[in-house]
Every structure is written in structure tokens, then in C-alpha cells.
Amino acid sequence: MNTSATQKINVQKVESSRIGQVDFDNLTFGSIFSDHMFECDYKDGAWQNPTIKPYGPLTISPAAKVFHYGQAVFEGMKAYKDENGKVWLFRPEQNFLRINKSSVRMAMPEFPRDIFFEALIELVKLDKDWVKPGLGNSLYIRPFVMATQVGVGASPSTEYKFMILLSPAQAYYLGDVKVVIADHYSRSANGGVGAAKAAGNYGAQFFPTNLAREKGFQQVIWTDASKHEYLEEAGTMNVFFRVNDTLLTAPISDRILDGVTRKSVIALAKKDNITVEERPVLVSEIVEAAEKGSLKEIFGAGTAAVISPVSAFSYKEKTFELDKQEDGFASRFKKELLDIQYNRSEDPFGWRYEVK
């Protein structure tokens, strides 16, 4: 599909900011949004009318195909403010590449790189006061695309809307989480859309996650759809297992999302000379390691939570507690990532991207 844009970005500023109405010390993740948003429409084979405008509701037909066939993909990114007031993004190129990869898998048009980055930078610059300094504070960035063609015929849409929203955020999880290893429900299957950030992937997780919460667990570690023998992802995050001093994680496939935080953790581990094995991880080997005491840590890795340690897991009604690691891999990687993201340390990988 043609992904050219017909014009540069039109900027419409708010008359007065809503920032004074926000209690930044008591934020619920993803519920408050900044003054402006970006939108761009795909019609007649091209992206048109890229606009930054005041945040507000949309008018959309109830017959728009997104509501009927689920053509929608999204990304999750963050902006950080350092001690000198500079604002930084973290590996935005990866998010740009992935949203287009997701779009292709969902038969949606790719978005132009120049407009993506111009919109992203201008939007964050415009609402930079919403990026609060201090470790744990950030501005969550949500690019997404949805099908807007009117009609309920079962075919790909010919019209789409690309948008970017900004939401001030604090730490996603305040403590360790307890998880259930799935032995019935699945997140994705071979040949499916597990590797895409398709909206439906996440909606399908809510029911089994609710079942886990009824039993006192916060998240589910998903297993393969065929036999539920292999560990894949944890909730909305990639998942890592530390057995003795070796780090294990499932390989990227068409079932597993190529997480930006995941690949960053792997790079940090290799820099620190930690052995990393990207391979299929059996449920049985992790249960056995827990029984023998060689399973030291489990943690999730994702944009919203960064690193989320697991304090216990349950499998087939048996619960295994994990000892708290005072100087564990999870805490080490989280500190190293945050130090890079907040410009508190050197960035040997060139991951930081200054908004200026």
C-alpha cells in the first residue's frame, strides 16, 4: 500500500492547558491524557491531513470496521525528563518498526517514518510540561491505528486513522507480582497474530487473567497453545527465568512479541557477561528448578512496568514461593535501564533519543 503523506503536520494548540487540574502524585495508569493528540487519516491510498490538535473525543460511525473485525494495532512508549529538564525517548525506532510490522500482519497500511517521528517529537515538545522529572515519573506514549471505513462487509478496511496519545504515568506495578502458569487458556497460536500488537490479543487475555485474580494472583504466564508445555509470555510482558546464574527466555516467534524491553535486557545481560539462553523453556524444567532451589528469579519485562519481579507462581494448584533476591538480576537490569532512560548514566548502546 502507498504510505506517502500529502502534507506536513498542522498544529492546533489548546487555548488553555488542563495540567493544573491533574494530581501528578496520584495517577492511575493510562487514565489521564495531556492537552494534545495527533491524528492522521488514510484515504484514497494515502495518509492525509496529519494534525496535532487538542485532546478530545472522536466522531466515528458505529459501522466502522474496527468495531466489527478488530483491525487495530498499537504501541507503547515513554518519554523521560532528566535532572536538567531535558526530555528523552527510549529506542523509538523499534516502536516505529514494530507498529508497521503489526499493521502489515493485520492487512493495514504502513505509516511513513518521517511523519511518525515529526508527529512524535512535536507532540512531546508541545506537552513537555506533562513529563515530570524524578525516577518513576514518565509520559506514556500510545500510538495506534484503527480501521475507519464504514461498512460491515468482511474485508480489510480501505480507510484508517493513525493517532498518538500522551498520558502522564508513575510506576506501573508497585511491588512483586504472583502469577499462574496457564494450562488451558492460550495467548496466541502458531500462524496467529501473537507477534503483532493487535488490540484483540489483549482483550482475549482479560478473562483468564480475571480467573487468576480470583485466586489471588495478578497475572498469567502463558504457555504454548498446542500442549501447554512451553513458557512464553507473562501477562502483557515478555518473561525471563533465572536458573542459578543463567537467564532463560523464550525465542521470538509468530506467537511471541519482539519486546523492546526484552531485547534491551538481553543486551544488558550480555554486556554484564551473564549467560543468556533464548530457547524454548519447558514448564517442567522451571517447576523442577523451583523444587530443587536453583530457580532464583522470574521477572517480566515491558514498557509499562519496565521490570516486574515475580514473588510466587502457581502451576496445577501448587504454589512455589521465590526468595527475595537483594542483588538479583531483576533489580540490576531495572536500575541499568532506568539510569539510561533518565540520562543518569552513559548510554553505550545509543538507545536514548533526545526530544529537541
Side-chain angles (χ1 to χ4, degrees):
M1 290 186 180
N2 185 346
T3 59
S4 63
T6 58
Q7 63 186 79
K8 291 300 183 180
I9 296 173
N10 173 32
V11 179
Q12 303 168 11
K13 297 182 180 180
V14 295
E15 293 183 4
S16 60
S17 176
R18 294 178 286 103
I19 195 168
Q21 304 169 23
V22 178
D23 181 359
F24 284 90
D25 294 325
N26 294 284
L27 295 171
T28 299
F29 184 84
S31 62
I32 301 295
F33 295 91
S34 70
D35 289 322
H36 299 89
M37 63 185 187
F38 171 76
E39 67 176 27
C40 187
D41 292 310
Y42 185 87
K43 295 181 179 180
D44 301 322
W47 288 101
Q48 305 178 24
N49 194 31
T51 303
I52 291 175
K53 61 195 296 186
Y55 174 84
L58 301 174
T59 299
I60 186 168
S61 169
K65 288 198 173 185
V66 65
F67 300 130
H68 303 274
Y69 302 110
Q71 271 189 294
V73 299
F74 69 94
E75 270 300 321
M77 311 167 63
K78 283 182 178 178
Y80 310 86
K81 183 170 286 184
D82 68 18
E83 295 174 352
N84 297 315
K86 292 184 177 179
V87 177
W88 303 86
L89 302 175
F90 181 73
R91 306 190 74 175
E93 183 74 22
Q94 296 296 317
N95 299 100
F96 164 72
L97 293 172
R98 194 170 61 182
I99 198 168
N100 276 343
K101 180 180 177 181
S102 297
S103 294
V104 168
R105 181 60 183 85
M106 297 298 291
M108 302 164 72
E110 296 177 70
F111 197 71
R113 185 185 187 282
D114 58 339
I115 301 297
F116 178 89
F117 275 91
E118 182 181 351
L120 179 63
I121 297 305
E122 288 304 312
L123 187 60
V124 174
K125 282 170 59 177
L126 195 58
D127 285 351
K128 65 182 179 180
D129 289 343
W130 291 76
V131 193
K132 295 302 180 184
L135 199 62
N137 295 322
S138 63
L139 189 64
Y140 185 75
I141 303 169
R142 171 53 61 91
F144 65 100
V145 194
M146 59 182 174
T148 54
Q149 181 190 359
V150 174
V152 296
S155 61
S157 177
T158 59
E159 298 180 0
Y160 298 88
K161 186 179 289 290
F162 182 102
M163 301 193 69
I164 304 177
L165 308 179
L166 307 179
S167 177
Q170 295 174 305
Y172 194 69
Y173 294 122
L174 298 179
D176 296 357
V177 297
K178 297 170 66 178
V179 300
V180 175
I181 294 178
D183 59 7
H184 176 70
Y185 294 102
S186 300
R187 175 188 174 274
S188 61
N190 290 337
V193 295
K197 283 189 76 72
N201 288 353
Y202 298 81
Q205 295 181 31
F206 295 156
F207 176 69
T209 301
N210 283 345
L211 295 179
R213 287 175 176 165
E214 290 173 3
K215 297 182 178 180
F217 298 88
Q218 288 80 41
Q219 284 291 354
V220 177
I221 294 185
W222 306 105
T223 49
D224 67 285
S226 299
K227 297 182 179 179
H228 299 286
E229 293 179 343
Y230 293 97
L231 296 152
E232 300 200 329
E233 292 193 11
T236 58
M237 301 175 286
N238 296 110
V239 64
F240 289 85
F241 306 89
R242 176 188 174 186
V243 178
N244 292 320
D245 286 328
T246 298
L247 200 59
L248 310 177
T249 193
I252 295 303
S253 68
D254 58 8
R255 301 189 310 276
I256 297 175
L257 191 71
D258 187 9
V260 178
T261 310
R262 174 192 180 275
K263 63 181 64 177
S264 303
V265 166
I266 292 171
L268 289 171
K270 291 180 177 179
K271 179 182 71 70
D272 294 343
N273 295 315
I274 293 170
T275 301
V276 181
E277 296 181 6
E278 296 180 72
R279 61 168 177 81
V281 181
L282 283 162
V283 175
S284 59
E285 71 175 297
I286 295 304
V287 170
E288 181 180 356
E291 292 173 338
K292 291 182 175 179
S294 56
L295 178 65
K296 305 301 182 183
E297 295 179 79
I298 301 175
F299 59 90
T303 298
V306 187
I307 301 291
S308 184
V310 171
S311 61
F313 74 91
S314 174
Y315 180 62
K316 293 189 180 298
E317 304 301 326
K318 184 176 181 180
T319 298
F320 299 85
E321 302 284 343
L322 297 177
D323 293 334
K324 182 77 172 179
Q325 300 289 324
E326 295 302 327
D327 188 26
F329 286 179
S331 58
R332 177 194 300 191
F333 295 141
K334 184 170 186 177
K335 182 180 186 305
E336 290 182 357
L337 278 172
L338 292 176
D339 283 348
I340 291 174
Q341 290 168 342
Y342 286 88
N343 194 27
R344 292 154 55 110
S345 70
E346 294 298 319
D347 177 12
F349 305 97
W351 288 340
R352 275 196 301 264
Y353 186 107
E354 186 176 358
V355 176
K356 59 181 179 179

